[in-house]
Amino acid sequence: HGDVERGKHAAEHAFEVDPLNASVHVALSNVYAIAGRWDDVVKLRKSMCNKGVEKDPGCSSIEVNNSVHVFVARDRSHPQMEQIHAELERLSGRMEEAGYVPSTRLVLHDVEQESKENLLCYH
């Protein structure tokens, strides 16, 4: 909801119950990122690292011809990854030609607009 103080307050209570819960750390990091408080994001991520708290990478899957394909963030080991990325770029280009403008408001990375659009393409 954009209320950083309320987010911090909720996280502090959650940390009392489970100080190593990665989900709470990530949620608070997202609250900071949405508010543009990138220094706080960095501090929190460093704190996670120092405590040994690790976020599980994002994961998605799709079933094609009775075969399940699993994709994990930053993993490029799928044997058809090159073709998949080429198709995503082709589709992204067609969407842009049709007038689609991606909403990058919730891309929670401190990067330039073009990089945010690329992150969305492969998300």
Side-chain angles (χ1 to χ4, degrees), residues 1-4 27-38 41 105-108:
H1 295 80
D3 187 340
V4 174
L28 182 56
S29 176
N30 290 347
V31 167
Y32 288 146
I34 290 168
R37 291 175 53 170
W38 299 109
V41 171
R105 186 175 63 86
L106 293 178
V107 175
L108 304 180

Side-chain angles (χ1 to χ4, degrees), residues 86-100:
E87 181 64 9
L88 286 171
E89 288 177 22
R90 185 187 72 76
L91 291 171
S92 180
R94 290 196 55 202
M95 290 170 22
E96 188 177 321
E97 288 170 7
Y100 174 74

Side-chain angles (χ1 to χ4, degrees), residues 22-115:
S23 298
V24 177
H25 287 82
V26 171
L28 182 56
S29 176
N30 290 347
V31 167
Y32 288 146
I34 290 168
R37 291 175 53 170
W38 299 109
D39 289 342
D40 288 324
V41 171
V42 170
K43 286 178 194 172
L44 185 59
R45 294 294 178 144
K46 283 182 181 178
S47 170
M48 288 174 66
C49 187
N50 292 339
K51 295 175 187 174
V53 177
E54 293 185 13
K55 174 192 174 298
D56 291 330
C59 178
S60 62
S61 62
I62 184 171
E63 183 177 343
V64 178
N65 298 327
N66 294 319
S67 180
V68 176
H69 300 266
V70 178
F71 299 90
V72 179
R74 296 184 188 93
D75 177 14
R76 297 186 52 90
S77 65
H78 190 282
Q80 294 174 299
M81 189 58 72
E82 200 170 300
Q83 295 94 329
I84 292 167
H85 277 241
E87 181 64 9
L88 286 171
E89 288 177 22
R90 185 187 72 76
L91 291 171
S92 180
R94 290 196 55 202
M95 290 170 22
E96 188 177 321
E97 288 170 7
Y100 174 74
V101 177
S103 173
T104 59
R105 186 175 63 86
L106 293 178
V107 175
L108 304 180
H109 299 278
D110 190 17
V111 295
E112 298 297 321
Q113 182 67 21
E114 184 176 339
S115 294

